[in-house]
Amino acid sequence: MLSRAACSTSRRLVPALGALGSRQKHSLPDLPYDYGALEPHINAQIMQLHHSKHHAAYVNNLNVAEEKYREALEKGDVTAQIALQPALKFNGGGHINHSIFWTNLSPNGGGEPKGELLEAIKRDFGSFAKFKEKLTAVSVGVQGSGWGWLGFNKEQGRLQIAACSNQDPLQGTTGLIPLLGIDVWEHAYYLQYKNVRPDYLKAIWNVINWENVTARFTACSK
């Protein structure tokens, strides 16, 4: 079960700037399943490249950017600190987003959530079918690369759907707490679904890990 730390993923993965000098480097998390475990919905080749190449690159580049930022802080070089913000946002967001994405998927996934999450979905979207249709439409509609998200608005106590461009992290850019993220970068599906993003989005619902999404919702809605 996820702890309340799940509510502050972005804060946990990207340390306070004042702590950069003593931080440990970020590392690529292990997948909780084999690369081929999500087949036939997402094939092993995609998962291997996506995890071991793309996510690994975000981790490596984030570590480099943070080291440069630490040096800029020590020198009091504000110009360099500002110049590094895009790299921190892109690679830090890539690490945050993918760390959530892998746990949002499961070979035993699919179907519908249960309990309080399902009731909240019905309350905020009318039905699970309407929620699924809306998140799919938002994800299909992302121009270029980005993510479709189910998030939790802590202030309003309700679920919201949002899209983020590139690797912009949901919480860091919208304030919504991430519960379920769908990666719609082409590297997440092109080798299997070519440029037909809707087919990929139709398939991914078969491997959504509702236990993980529910645990995130429970931790953040209390």
Side-chain angles (χ1 to χ4, degrees), residues 83-130:
L84 286 164
Q85 293 300 314
L88 289 168
K89 182 180 182 181
F90 181 79
N91 294 294
H95 183 31
I96 291 168
N97 294 341
H98 286 87
S99 295
I100 295 169
F101 183 61
W102 307 132
T103 64
N104 278 167
L105 304 177
S106 169
N108 300 315
E112 298 184 5
K114 300 176 181 178
E116 292 184 359
L117 177 58
L118 181 58
E119 293 307 311
I121 287 174
K122 291 179 178 178
R123 178 195 68 205
D124 295 331
F125 302 106
S127 67
F128 178 77
K130 290 180 179 179

Side-chain angles (χ1 to χ4, degrees), residues 24 46 88 117-118 124 139 147 154 168 179 206 218 222:
Q24 292 185 340
I46 287 175
L88 289 168
L117 177 58
L118 181 58
D124 295 331
S139 301
W147 292 72
K154 188 74 172 179
D168 292 0
L179 304 180
N206 294 297
T218 300
K222 292 182 178 179

Side-chain angles (χ1 to χ4, degrees), residues 122-154:
K122 291 179 178 178
R123 178 195 68 205
D124 295 331
F125 302 106
S127 67
F128 178 77
K130 290 180 179 179
F131 152 72
K132 182 177 176 180
E133 181 180 357
K134 184 174 182 179
L135 181 53
T136 298
V138 167
S139 301
V140 168
V142 171
Q143 294 185 352
S145 301
W147 292 72
W149 288 98
L150 171 65
F152 183 70
N153 186 317
K154 188 74 172 179

Side-chain angles (χ1 to χ4, degrees), residues 9-60:
T9 308
S10 60
R11 293 193 298 272
R12 177 162 47 86
L13 286 174
V14 181
L17 297 180
L20 282 175
S22 59
R23 71 171 183 85
Q24 292 185 340
K25 288 188 175 182
H26 301 288
S27 59
L28 181 68
D30 294 331
L31 290 185
Y33 39 77
D34 293 334
Y35 286 134
L38 303 182
E39 291 186 342
H41 310 293
I42 305 177
N43 68 36
Q45 184 183 20
I46 287 175
M47 291 300 295
Q48 183 174 10
L49 290 171
H50 198 171
H51 176 258
S52 68
K53 300 298 183 182
H54 290 282
H55 190 175
Y58 298 130
V59 172
N60 292 337

